């Protein structure tokens, strides 16, 4: 795969003029005088969201009150919204559920996976992955006698660890720090050959590139809606379970909404058929309203166009920063939609960029991250951001004392 890279701001403007996704930019509330390159951490506010949230609050809750459970279709939302996410991840109807957070969903699926592989008690993950996934693996394996969570220093060690003690492997399709994209089909097949189950974390890939969970024969997946999907801060997560597991998977958080008949109020738990058994409680209706709104936009989006633009944006940014220590792979098939640059004082550099209106972020110990979101990032944004970074570094302005102070969230 080769991607040609624009070499001037004028070329970027020309690409913006013919960009098939350009019209979607007006769907989003963007900073007035800035360039937002952190949609891989918190997606921006869609223009349509406040009105949909207002209607949910004032009409469905305020006026409809309890009748809205049926009249406004509240009871169906975890399923309906899951079905709308399904095409974004290559799943079918009834295979994706919106609920809880990524961590809680991983807890449910990983426990179910261990129960599906009795006699196997090891979970493999990558040491450098997003830590909550590792913490959950540690928590889940701690509940099983002989359970252990093994952290690989590198995926090169995967085969050496894939013995008959391994119940499940948990990996992020795109690494949150480096932007490395893994080969979902190839790794899933290798894990299956060893008799283990494969769980993918899609937080940095859902909405950033086409995903095909069905073709890759994935067992389970979790994902996030507040990053590339723009559902709003702390919006609920989603989970996927392959249909072959629906009737047999036993998740541990057996709350009333995962019951076959929640409103029969029987004392014994009986799991729902299908994906519904992975529900525990009902997700926040107000948070779901943000997702309802943003998924309307995603219905108009062709993910192949998203991928092509994403690779062009990251490609041109990397090209402009080629003299820096870019850790994101240059090969298009090996990267997601962000660029990570190693720089020990990256925190201060990112703060200096934010003062200039270019919003990226920093991940300890030494990586600056710049996320590109093709629905609202333009080619000229990527160009201008790269020039701002070059200027901040060349001038040394990041050395000013005020850029060294850290808040609670970096
Ligand atoms: C953002 C992110 C999460 C978020 O987890 P929550 O439990 O929803 O807060 C989990 N895993 C990865 C890889 C992420 O990038």
């Amino acid at each position: 795969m080769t991607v040609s890279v624009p070499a001037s701001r004028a070329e970027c403007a020309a690409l913006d003029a013919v960009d098939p996704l350009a019209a979607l930019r007006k769907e989003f509330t963007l900073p007035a005088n800035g360039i937002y390159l952190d949609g891989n951490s918190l997606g921006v506010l869609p223009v349509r969201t406040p009105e949909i949230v207002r209607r949910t609050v004032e009409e469905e809750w305020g006026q409809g009150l309890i009748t809205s459970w049926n009249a406004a279709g509240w009871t169906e939302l975890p399923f309906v919204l899951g079905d709308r996410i399904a095409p974004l991840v290559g799943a079918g109807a009834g295979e994706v559920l919106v609920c809880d957070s990524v961590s809680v969903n991983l807890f449910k699926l990983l426990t179910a996976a261990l129960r599906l592989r009795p006699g196997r008690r090891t979970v493999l993950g990558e040491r450098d992955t997003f830590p909550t996934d590792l913490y959950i693996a540690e928590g889940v394996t701690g509940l099983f006698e002989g359970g252990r969570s093994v952290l690989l220093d590198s995926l090169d060690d995967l085969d050496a660890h894939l013995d008959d003690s391994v119940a499940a492997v948990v990996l992020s399709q795109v690494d949150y720090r480096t932007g490395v994209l893994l080969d979902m089909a190839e790794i899933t097949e290798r894990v299956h050959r060893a008799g283990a189950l494969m769980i993918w974390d899609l937080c940095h890939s859902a909405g950033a590139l086409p995903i095909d969970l069905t073709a890759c024969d994935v067992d389970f997946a979790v994902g996030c809606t507040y990053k590339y999907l723009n559902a709003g801060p702390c919006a609920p997560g989603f989970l996927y379970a392959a249909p072959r597991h629906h009737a047999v998977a036993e998740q541990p958080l057996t709350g009333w909404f995962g019951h076959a008949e929640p409103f029969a109020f029987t004392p014994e738990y009986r799991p729902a058929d299908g994906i519904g058994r992975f529900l525990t409680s009902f997700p926040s209706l107000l948070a779901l309203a943000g997702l309802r709104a943003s998924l309307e936009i995603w219905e108009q989006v062709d993910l192949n166009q998203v991928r092509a633009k994403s690779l062009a944006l990251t490609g041109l940014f990397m090209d402009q920063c080629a003299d820096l220590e870019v850790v994101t792979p240059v090969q298009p098939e090996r990267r997601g939609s962000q660029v990570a640059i190693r720089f020990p004082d990256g925190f201060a550099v990112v703060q200096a960029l934010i003062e200039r209106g270019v919003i990226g972020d920093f991940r300890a110990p030494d990586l600056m991250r710049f996320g590109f979101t093709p629905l609202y990032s333009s080619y000229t944004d990527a160009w201008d951001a790269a020039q701002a970074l070059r200027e901040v570094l060349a001038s040394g302005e990041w050395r000013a004392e005020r850029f060294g102070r850290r808040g609670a969230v970096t």
Side-chain angles (χ1 to χ4, degrees), residues 101-104 129-130 132-133 172 176 201 203-204 224 226-227:
S101 63
V102 176
S103 306
V104 173
T129 205
F130 196 84
T132 201
D133 296 25
S172 272
Y176 79 110
D201 184 324
C203 285
H204 288 273
C224 194
Y226 55 79
K227 292 171 182 160

Side-chain angles (χ1 to χ4, degrees), residues 60-61 63-71 74:
E60 296 184 5
W61 175 20
Q63 300 301 313
L65 287 168
I66 203 150
T67 67
S68 286
W69 278 104
N70 295 319
W74 284 358

Side-chain angles (χ1 to χ4, degrees), residues 7 16 51 126 228 244 260 295 307-308 345 380 391 402:
D16 283 329
E51 170 59 14
E126 265 190 299
Y228 290 93
R244 62 181 173 278
L295 288 178
R307 179 63 170 156
D345 288 305
T380 40
E391 284 166 28
R402 67 184 183 284

Side-chain angles (χ1 to χ4, degrees), residues 95-152:
E95 297 172 9
V96 176
L97 185 71
V98 170
C99 59
D100 298 313
S101 63
V102 176
S103 306
V104 173
N105 286 330
L106 183 58
F107 180 86
K108 293 188 287 191
L109 295 177
L110 192 51
T111 306
L114 278 154
R115 288 171 167 177
L116 286 168
R117 286 291 180 273
R120 291 173 172 242
R121 288 293 166 256
T122 300
V123 173
L124 298 182
E126 265 190 299
R127 180 175 297 279
D128 285 338
T129 205
F130 196 84
T132 201
D133 296 25
L134 304 177
Y135 304 158
I136 293 292
E138 206 178 305
V140 169
T141 51
L143 296 173
F144 289 83
E145 180 145 3
R148 48 183 210 134
S149 164
V150 174
L151 307 186
L152 306 176

Side-chain angles (χ1 to χ4, degrees), residues 89 117 120 124 155 158-159 162 166-173 181-202 211-222 240 242 244-245:
V89 297
R117 286 291 180 273
R120 291 173 172 242
L124 298 182
L155 268 192
L158 181 62
D159 286 338
L162 268 177
V166 178
V169 178
V170 182
L171 294 174
S172 272
Q173 189 184 11
L181 167 67
L182 298 181
D183 186 335
M184 177 181 274
E186 190 271 327
I187 293 173
T188 304
E189 196 198 327
R190 245 198 291 163
V191 168
H192 283 170
R193 248 188 279 128
L197 296 168
M198 186 68 223
I199 306 180
W200 285 100
D201 184 324
L202 309 177
I211 299 169
D212 202 337
L213 294 174
T214 305
C216 295
D217 202 28
V218 170
D219 296 287
F220 299 108
V222 292
Y240 163 84
R244 62 181 173 278
H245 298 312

